Amino acid sequence: MNKFKDIKIAVAGTGYVGLSIATLLSQYHQVKAVDVIPEKVEKLNNRVSPIQDDYIEKYLAEKPLNLVATLDGKDAYKDADFVVIAAPTNYDPVKNYFDTSRVEEVIDLVLEVNPDAVMVIKSTIPVGYTRNLY
């Protein structure tokens, strides 16, 4: 792993959770934010928040951040020391079910391109989910 100041972090998902994490960590580390929506990636690369949040808007406008947004997960994950997974997991109360397919897609891609990366799941997941993946 790199020295503390040289840590490379990828954040999968740029909703409230992912973008908050990416913004804060990019003050001190190199961060690549991954999303599947081209408009969100373009806005972030132009230092415009794709979501309504006063702090994120302020940080993007005023702070020197080491933050790049991309649509290319493979590229973002291949050199990352840490991958923060903040992908959506929509909950269906009728079925009592979390859709964890997006989380699993990220995990599979990280394992394919960088099996040594430490993955941190910040998405909402059911109890015992990570144990079942293991």
Side-chain angles (χ1 to χ4, degrees):
M1 183 176 300
N2 293 324
K3 294 179 182 176
F4 183 75
K5 68 178 184 167
D6 297 327
I7 290 175
K8 294 180 182 178
I9 301 166
V11 178
T14 61
Y16 284 99
V17 173
L19 192 50
S20 297
I21 291 168
T23 303
L24 291 173
L25 291 175
S26 67
Q27 294 177 86
Y28 306 101
H29 306 289
Q30 178 182 333
V31 176
K32 289 185 180 179
V34 181
D35 206 289
V36 297
I37 302 171
E39 295 82 14
K40 287 179 86 174
V41 169
E42 184 178 348
K43 280 185 172 187
L44 281 172
N45 285 330
N46 289 317
R47 293 292 190 250
V48 175
S49 179
I51 60 175
Q52 168 81 42
D53 184 280
D54 293 340
Y55 286 109
I56 291 172
E57 291 169 7
K58 182 178 174 79
Y59 275 55
L60 287 172
E62 299 174 6
K63 299 253 184 203
L65 305 176
N66 192 352
L67 175 64
V68 174
T70 182
L71 297 167
D72 189 349
K74 276 188 178 184
D75 180 63
Y77 308 144
K78 72 179 180 185
D79 295 325
D81 297 299
F82 293 91
V83 177
V84 178
I85 302 170
T89 53
N90 298 322
Y91 178 69
D92 184 339
V94 175
K95 295 179 183 176
N96 193 29
Y97 170 77
F98 283 97
D99 179 4
T100 57
S101 60
R102 299 249 176 107
V103 172
E104 291 163 25
E105 289 170 8
V106 173
I107 291 169
D108 289 343
L109 186 55
V110 173
L111 289 173
E112 176 188 325
V113 299
N114 186 0
D116 294 327
V118 175
M119 289 182 263
V120 179
I121 301 175
K122 292 298 291 177
S123 300
T124 303
I125 53 175
V127 172
Y129 175 76
T130 53
R131 187 62 168 147
N132 288 335
L133 284 179
Y134 182 71

